[in-house]
Amino acid sequence: MAEHGHDTGRLDLPFTGIASFGKRPIVTDWSAIDAEVAVLGAPFDAGTQYRAGARFGPRAVREASTLFSYSHAGLYDHEDDALYLPPSVRIVDAGDADIVHTDTEASHANIETGVRAILDAGALPAVIGGDHSVTIPCIRALRGRGPIHVLQIDAHLDFVDERHGVRHGHGNPMRRAAEEDHVTGLTQVGIRGVGSTARDGFEAARRMGSDILSVRQARALGPEGVAARIPEGARLYVTIDIDGFCPSIAPGTGTPSHGGFLYYEGLEILQQVARRHEVVGLDLVEVAPDHDTGGITATLAAQLLFNLLGFVFHARGAA
């Protein structure tokens, strides 16, 4: 079959074909992953406390990501005068982890298995949720692979220990992360909203190694100042809850919270972080397309993933 290209081969427009992430090759045999990045869907939303629907997030983000499939030679940014994600950065779509309806333990175990397979293949795992509970197995998959620091962009602290017996819902992932021996600390950015976490939750988070910044505090610091709060030399796991962004640009989520980041604010934080630190894994969660308007939330999510992956590999010297 002819290769894709602007001048030769198939045109392969975004609305044609199979909607893999960025229309990249699909590799569902996880033992055969040979790439720099493997994208894994984690379509689980049984940890949700309010509006469900994030189980359809991976599908929506993949479809939106086809918009960015034009540039087979890479993504050129004239502001940075940089070519991001050139062909040397091979990205594959590893399909979805198997989700067992109503069974959090089995579903999380399957997500962890997928992330471990990606890491074993030497690729960077990029996970699309799903609700924020899917970060729990992603963090667990990094056990035994060196210390990590977690950067969270989110409206909510997600630091509940246990509520009515629930310990692995979307209100718990940062607490579960902080309990892991290989997690050295957390930087939680964008935290706002009345009532999502009680005072004792914030106190517990700080005792367990969290640095917490609201949107207004992050704006006052600026992107470089936010990145500087992360310990020097830290290896990062980055988790992005789409509700960290303002619902004016990201309405398609289960728990929207006004006052969030705008696109360039989040973008510039991610760019500064990727310049300063080694990113060893990432996820983007809580896109719920049934609550979206014109697909703008899914498009924002796809664009952020391409941005962050571009920044990570540009910092690694990809050319």
Side-chain angles (χ1 to χ4, degrees):
M1 183 176 290
E3 293 185 0
H4 304 313
H6 293 296
D7 302 317
T8 62
R10 301 182 64 185
L11 187 56
D12 196 24
L13 292 172
F15 57 83
T16 67
I18 297 171
S20 64
F21 182 79
K23 303 193 79 170
R24 302 303 176 98
I26 299 169
V27 181
T28 55
D29 178 356
W30 295 342
S31 67
I33 292 171
D34 182 14
E36 279 63 52
V37 180
V39 176
L40 178 71
F44 176 85
D45 67 1
T48 303
Q49 300 174 73
Y50 186 42
R51 300 191 303 191
R55 67 181 61 184
F56 297 108
R59 185 173 294 180
V61 174
R62 283 184 171 109
E63 183 172 355
S65 75
T66 64
L67 176 61
F68 307 102
S69 65
Y70 282 109
S71 301
H72 310 297
L75 303 171
Y76 177 70
D77 187 323
H78 76 95
E79 290 184 288
D80 295 341
D81 190 23
L83 182 68
Y84 293 111
L85 299 179
S88 61
V89 181
R90 296 165 299 164
I91 301 174
V92 299
D93 191 320
D96 290 345
D98 192 29
I99 302 304
V100 183
H101 59 291
T102 77
D103 193 333
T104 298
E105 184 176 352
S107 299
H108 280 192
N110 290 338
I111 295 166
E112 181 177 344
T113 295
V115 175
R116 284 187 178 277
I118 293 168
L119 291 166
D120 288 343
L124 178 73
V127 176
I128 307 174
D131 69 44
H132 214 156
S133 74
V134 306
T135 299
I136 298 171
C138 293
I139 295 291
R140 288 176 176 168
L142 284 154
R143 288 172 174 167
R145 300 175 191 267
I148 61 170
H149 185 95
V150 177
L151 170 64
Q152 172 197 12
I153 295 177
D154 200 330
H156 309 99
L157 198 65
D158 293 349
F159 213 87
V160 176
D161 182 16
E162 178 270 334
R163 185 176 289 158
H164 296 285
V166 177
R167 292 174 51 82
H168 297 92
H170 75 167
N172 310 109
M174 296 303 104
R175 180 65 172 248
R176 300 288 83 83
E179 293 168 348
E180 292 285 339
D181 290 341
H182 64 295
V183 175
T184 58
L186 297 86
T187 300
Q188 301 179 263
V189 184
I191 310 303
R192 63 192 187 280
V194 175
S196 66
T197 298
R199 181 193 297 271
D200 60 358
F202 282 87
E203 292 171 348
R206 292 189 175 103
R207 283 197 307 271
M208 296 177 73
S210 285
D211 183 19
I212 303 168
L213 296 172
S214 70
V215 172
R216 287 185 288 185
Q217 290 168 327
R219 283 175 177 156
L221 287 169
E224 293 186 2
V226 172
R229 299 285 286 252
I230 299 169
E232 187 174 354
R235 301 167 67 248
L236 282 189
Y237 184 90
V238 179
T239 178
I240 303 169
D241 187 324
I242 205 67
D243 70 27
F245 290 82
C246 181
S248 64
I249 64 168
T253 189
T255 51
S257 179
H258 284 280
F261 290 117
L262 298 178
Y263 170 68
Y264 274 109
E265 293 176 309
L267 178 77
E268 290 170 9
I269 290 172
L270 293 173
Q271 185 170 34
Q272 289 299 321
V273 164
R275 286 174 175 172
R276 290 169 173 258
H277 299 279
E278 179 189 3
V279 175
V280 298
L282 60 103
D283 66 54
L284 189 148
V285 300
E286 297 285 0
V287 173
D290 284 351
H291 307 301
D292 206 359
T293 302
I296 63 172
T297 310
T299 302
L300 171 65
Q303 191 162 351
L304 287 169
L305 286 169
F306 275 112
N307 289 148
L308 179 53
L309 291 171
F311 296 150
V312 167
F313 285 92
H314 192 262
R316 294 185 184 183

